Amino acid sequence: MAASAMEDVASGKDAIAEGLLDLLKPSVQQLDLHVHSMRESQVELREHIDNLASELGRINEHQKVALDLDPYVKKLLNARRRVVLVNNILQNAQERLRRLNHNVAKETARRKTMLEASGAFITRSSSKP
């Protein structure tokens, strides 16, 4: 009787855990996709900033009238540095998210195995006279 009550509590907790995992998994996957697309756009933005900075440098070299474009180039390079920083932060967040997703899947598999094993044990022990 006590074993049956313990099994009910354990299966209730596992059902809640499964429900939470099923609820959170799509959100985690969607967040991972958004982070990935954000990282791609950050790389593209960094490339555009590099191209613009080099283009401004070339324009500055070919100008007959001395235009001081150095402050603008410095601003662009500063913006590029910030883009790289944000990209690194996003990359770290995506890696943590990937590890979390992996750990959740591993824990789900472990719990499922435990639940199946305990169900098989209870079935065998209840069939004994």
Side-chain angles (χ1 to χ4, degrees), residues 47-114:
E47 290 171 356
H48 285 297
I49 289 173
D50 287 343
N51 290 339
L52 186 56
S54 66
E55 191 68 30
L56 282 176
R58 275 199 310 258
I59 289 171
N60 197 23
E61 289 173 3
H62 291 50
Q63 285 293 324
K64 294 181 179 160
V65 177
L67 290 177
D68 190 19
L69 296 178
D70 286 339
Y72 302 107
V73 172
K74 286 180 183 177
K75 285 182 181 181
L76 279 173
L77 293 176
N78 190 27
R80 181 191 185 283
R81 183 186 57 79
R82 288 192 307 253
V83 166
V84 168
L85 182 65
V86 168
N87 192 31
N88 288 339
I89 291 169
L90 285 172
Q91 189 173 4
N92 290 336
Q94 187 175 28
E95 180 59 27
R96 286 191 303 248
L97 190 59
R98 187 197 61 76
R99 283 191 309 246
L100 177 67
N101 198 15
H102 175 74
N103 288 340
V104 164
K106 194 164 77 172
E107 181 66 18
T108 302
R110 185 185 70 79
R111 285 181 183 238
K112 197 174 280 189
T113 303
M114 278 181 27

Side-chain angles (χ1 to χ4, degrees), residues 13-70:
K13 286 182 181 179
D14 285 338
I16 291 172
E18 281 289 324
L20 284 173
L21 289 175
D22 290 343
L23 181 69
L24 293 176
K25 192 170 185 172
S27 297
V28 169
Q29 289 173 339
Q30 184 181 16
L31 182 60
D32 187 47
L33 287 173
H34 287 302
V35 168
H36 183 70
S37 66
M38 178 65 79
R39 283 182 55 204
E40 288 177 352
S41 67
Q42 292 286 321
V43 168
E44 187 177 321
L45 178 59
R46 186 179 66 218
E47 290 171 356
H48 285 297
I49 289 173
D50 287 343
N51 290 339
L52 186 56
S54 66
E55 191 68 30
L56 282 176
R58 275 199 310 258
I59 289 171
N60 197 23
E61 289 173 3
H62 291 50
Q63 285 293 324
K64 294 181 179 160
V65 177
L67 290 177
D68 190 19
L69 296 178
D70 286 339

